[in-house]
Amino acid sequence: METLDIRKKSLEIQDIISKYTRESFVCFFADFIRHNPERGELGFSKKLKSKLKDSIYLIMLRLSSPIDGEQVLVYSEEVDKNLQKVADILLQMVDFYLGDIYSKDFDEIKNERHKTLVHEMAFKDYFQNGVLNYREQELNKVIRLFHPYQDKIKERLGIELRSLIDICQYSEDDYVKKSIRSKSFIFKKEFSKFAEKSFIGTKLNKKFSNEFFNLPKNIQNDFLDFNERPHSCLLFTKEDYYEVFEKNDVDIFCNLFSIPIDGDYNILFYSQSNPLDAKPIIKINDSEYLNVFQKQLPTALYNLLYATLTASAKETEQLNLRRGKVILERHTRDIFERFFKKSKHLKVFSNYYVNENPEEKDLLIIADGNAFVIECKSSRNREPRRDSNQAFQRIKSDFNDCIQKGYEQCYQVELLILNCPNISIKSNNLVQELDTSYINDVFSIVVTSERFATIQSDLGLLLNKPNAEDLYPWSINIDDLEIFLKTLNLEFNNPTRRFAEFLEYRELLNERLFSRDELDVCAMYFNNPSNFKKICGSSGYIVTDPLLQTHFDELYFSKKIKFKILNF
């Protein structure tokens, strides 16, 4: 296999982008990250496989360069050519990682298809895959896990948990207001008439100058400001926040979540940890800050608080126990109880025991003649190793600790329901006898706190079943589960029957599916349920369309799907 000098290629990119000033470069790509749907037709954009991950890598690669740069980065045909060169090199690098770093065979993978897909997962899913969830979900994760530790948070960080949450929320609200204000000229009658005369598609015609200078002065200024600084809505000053929050809280927040534009960085390789994941704000100068990656703020807050509250092995053990045994199980139960609340015949058992089995199980729901056996797993999904001899073993180990173990626990209960006319269930110190003859079907579901992407969507890649004819479970991340069930409730009059239908057909996709996100599969069902069933019933190999996920975004931004921030 042809080798590629990753260091050399990374330096090639750095040389290309270092001609631009740091400030103009980071502002350009911050705008590109946030407003990519409007920037999607730019030539270089079409070549980037992960517009978010590629962009934050390029930002840190630029900040790691000792060169000041002289050119202000403003989009043009010449700039696009340079960025297309950058995108081409990035593609070479990613292809090399997939083709060379994980090039050796593994005994555990029995055929070439499995090897290819697991390798695809190992790099792309970890380093490139974006996540569809919503800000409220991320903030609620923070509240659920950390609200009992408010005194420790204040003691160790010098700021209240509530202040951290409130500033995160205000950051988004501030952006929205500034964004609306910066584009307000578009909605003025004078500009609408001007645009009709002066634009052919996205290009200006020759009458532009004459027509433009006939506009009112304030509209001219607003238009020019927006074109010169489209990123302005992502900028803020501490003084902006001082008007709403205590000065000390704002100072601490900015210190916790920002990196200086002129800091000393050493980011060269794509797979290095990116400082913007932990601190998604760049301090441009003494007065201005740039929100590079606002959606990451709640996640960065979660990770910061987790690190802050796990100073010892005992604290780590206690917090992890709470994260899995308390938070994930309770949240999963709440989601399912809300979903099934209108079912005529409903029984819910949590933290239960079946017959004489001494192992506690998580959740069993009997609804409308179907049994849903649910296990909740909060485990780890570690960064893939570079060493090809160790890479697969780590992936397999994490999968086994989480999804495989959850399946095995579900399988024990599933067998009893299918094979015993009556089973004894003990829950909350009460023992009930369950007549299984009234149960039409049994579905096993493994709900995870982490995302395993490809190997979670197609369980045929790594899951071991006792018998080949046994059905696969459904495994899904907790956020995706919440989005999916909310959408079922919203779009169908009979959501519980639709849920059972989805699970029945979804099982058939394992062993022939390539999808990096379970919501891609869910979106297929909502887009066309009849066609979804035909696809599942066919024998062909399925590659999901990630663009279908816009179905959920449309519902969210139209406020049809809502997530309420928890009180604490």
Side-chain angles (χ1 to χ4, degrees), residues 274-533:
N274 195 306
L276 289 171
D277 287 330
K279 298 190 173 191
I281 299 170
I282 292 178
K283 182 180 180 182
I284 299 295
N285 51 50
D286 289 340
S287 61
E288 282 189 309
Y289 290 79
L290 176 73
N291 280 307
V292 174
F293 187 11
Q294 259 178 301
K295 189 176 183 291
Q296 180 69 9
L297 256 182
T299 305
L301 174 58
Y302 181 99
N303 293 336
L304 169 69
L305 294 179
Y306 184 87
T308 300
L309 297 170
T310 52
S312 66
K314 183 178 180 180
E315 284 187 340
T316 303
E317 182 181 359
Q318 290 175 341
L319 194 60
N320 283 342
L321 180 63
R322 174 174 170 77
R323 184 168 70 107
K325 192 62 184 172
V326 179
I327 301 302
L328 181 62
E329 289 184 19
R330 183 182 297 166
H331 189 199
T332 301
R333 175 172 177 162
D334 289 346
I335 289 171
F336 276 112
E337 285 187 330
R338 285 197 301 270
F339 177 73
F340 285 113
K341 66 182 179 181
K342 294 182 180 179
S343 296
K344 294 180 180 179
H345 306 287
L346 177 66
K347 291 183 179 180
V348 179
F349 305 96
S350 60
N351 304 120
Y352 66 99
Y353 300 85
V354 181
N355 292 349
E356 301 302 317
N357 192 320
E359 184 180 36
E360 183 185 84
K361 301 299 192 293
D362 291 339
L363 189 61
L364 172 64
I365 297 175
I366 312 296
D368 301 329
N370 292 317
F372 301 87
V373 185
I374 302 155
E375 286 296 316
C376 308
K377 292 299 170 189
S378 180
S379 186
R380 57 186 179 178
N381 181 18
R382 293 169 291 178
E383 177 179 328
R385 290 184 181 272
R386 283 174 167 272
D387 186 288
S388 58
N389 292 315
Q390 299 175 0
F392 181 77
Q393 292 301 330
R394 172 176 281 193
I395 297 165
K396 181 69 172 174
S397 173
D398 290 350
F399 180 90
N400 285 345
D401 288 345
C402 187
I403 297 174
Q404 182 70 42
K405 184 176 180 180
Y407 163 68
E408 290 168 359
Q409 291 172 318
C410 287
Y411 186 73
Q412 294 171 5
V413 179
E414 185 178 326
L415 282 181
L416 291 172
I417 293 175
L418 292 173
N419 296 319
C420 301
N422 290 279
I423 58 175
S424 176
I425 298 179
K426 181 181 179 182
S427 177
N428 296 323
N429 294 320
L430 296 175
V431 178
Q432 298 184 48
E433 296 298 317
L434 182 66
D435 183 355
T436 61
S437 65
Y438 292 99
I439 296 176
N440 302 316
D441 213 340
V442 183
F443 300 101
S444 290
I445 302 171
V446 181
V447 180
T448 66
S449 60
E450 305 297 325
R451 296 175 184 274
F452 289 80
T454 308
I455 58 173
Q456 188 166 16
S457 292
D458 188 348
L459 296 176
L461 290 166
L462 292 179
L463 192 77
N464 289 321
K465 298 186 297 177
N467 304 295
E469 63 273 15
D470 288 334
L471 299 179
Y472 282 98
W474 184 48
S475 183
I476 187 168
N477 169 265
I478 183 70
D479 289 341
D480 294 349
L481 175 69
E482 185 175 27
I483 293 168
F484 179 60
L485 294 187
K486 276 180 176 289
T487 308
L488 277 175
N489 257 330
L490 180 68
E491 300 206 342
F492 296 116
N493 294 325
N494 48 2
T496 57
R497 184 176 69 80
R498 290 286 193 162
F499 183 44
E501 176 185 80
F502 171 81
L503 293 176
E504 180 182 351
Y505 283 93
R506 173 66 180 87
E507 190 279 332
L508 301 174
L509 291 177
N510 290 289
E511 300 184 21
R512 57 190 187 87
L513 174 69
F514 181 79
S515 178
R516 296 165 69 183
D517 193 321
E518 182 61 26
L519 284 182
D520 292 342
V521 183
C522 297
M524 286 173 58
Y525 179 74
F526 288 118
N527 186 55
N528 190 328
S530 297
N531 192 52
F532 178 81
K533 290 188 280 187

Side-chain angles (χ1 to χ4, degrees), residues 192-337:
S192 297
K193 292 178 181 178
F194 158 74
E196 289 177 6
K197 295 178 181 178
S198 304
F199 289 85
I200 302 173
T202 59
K203 294 184 178 181
L204 299 172
N205 66 27
K206 294 178 181 179
K207 296 181 180 179
F208 172 79
S209 296
N210 293 333
E211 297 292 340
F212 179 75
F213 291 110
N214 288 328
L215 287 170
K217 202 69 176 178
N218 65 316
I219 295 180
Q220 292 181 39
N221 292 334
D222 289 346
F223 177 82
L224 292 173
D225 287 345
F226 178 75
N227 279 275
E228 289 174 8
R229 288 166 59 88
H231 58 273
S232 62
C233 51
L234 298 169
L235 291 169
F236 70 93
T237 66
K238 285 184 178 180
E239 284 70 23
D240 294 336
Y241 287 21
Y242 289 161
E243 296 176 5
V244 182
F245 302 101
E246 293 291 332
K247 180 179 183 301
N248 186 57
D249 287 347
V250 174
D251 292 345
I252 291 173
F253 181 88
C254 289
N255 185 56
L256 289 173
F257 296 108
S258 70
I259 60 173
I261 195 169
D262 56 356
D264 184 16
Y265 308 109
N266 187 27
I267 302 298
L268 184 61
F269 301 108
Y270 191 94
S271 57
Q272 282 179 267
S273 296
N274 195 306
L276 289 171
D277 287 330
K279 298 190 173 191
I281 299 170
I282 292 178
K283 182 180 180 182
I284 299 295
N285 51 50
D286 289 340
S287 61
E288 282 189 309
Y289 290 79
L290 176 73
N291 280 307
V292 174
F293 187 11
Q294 259 178 301
K295 189 176 183 291
Q296 180 69 9
L297 256 182
T299 305
L301 174 58
Y302 181 99
N303 293 336
L304 169 69
L305 294 179
Y306 184 87
T308 300
L309 297 170
T310 52
S312 66
K314 183 178 180 180
E315 284 187 340
T316 303
E317 182 181 359
Q318 290 175 341
L319 194 60
N320 283 342
L321 180 63
R322 174 174 170 77
R323 184 168 70 107
K325 192 62 184 172
V326 179
I327 301 302
L328 181 62
E329 289 184 19
R330 183 182 297 166
H331 189 199
T332 301
R333 175 172 177 162
D334 289 346
I335 289 171
F336 276 112
E337 285 187 330

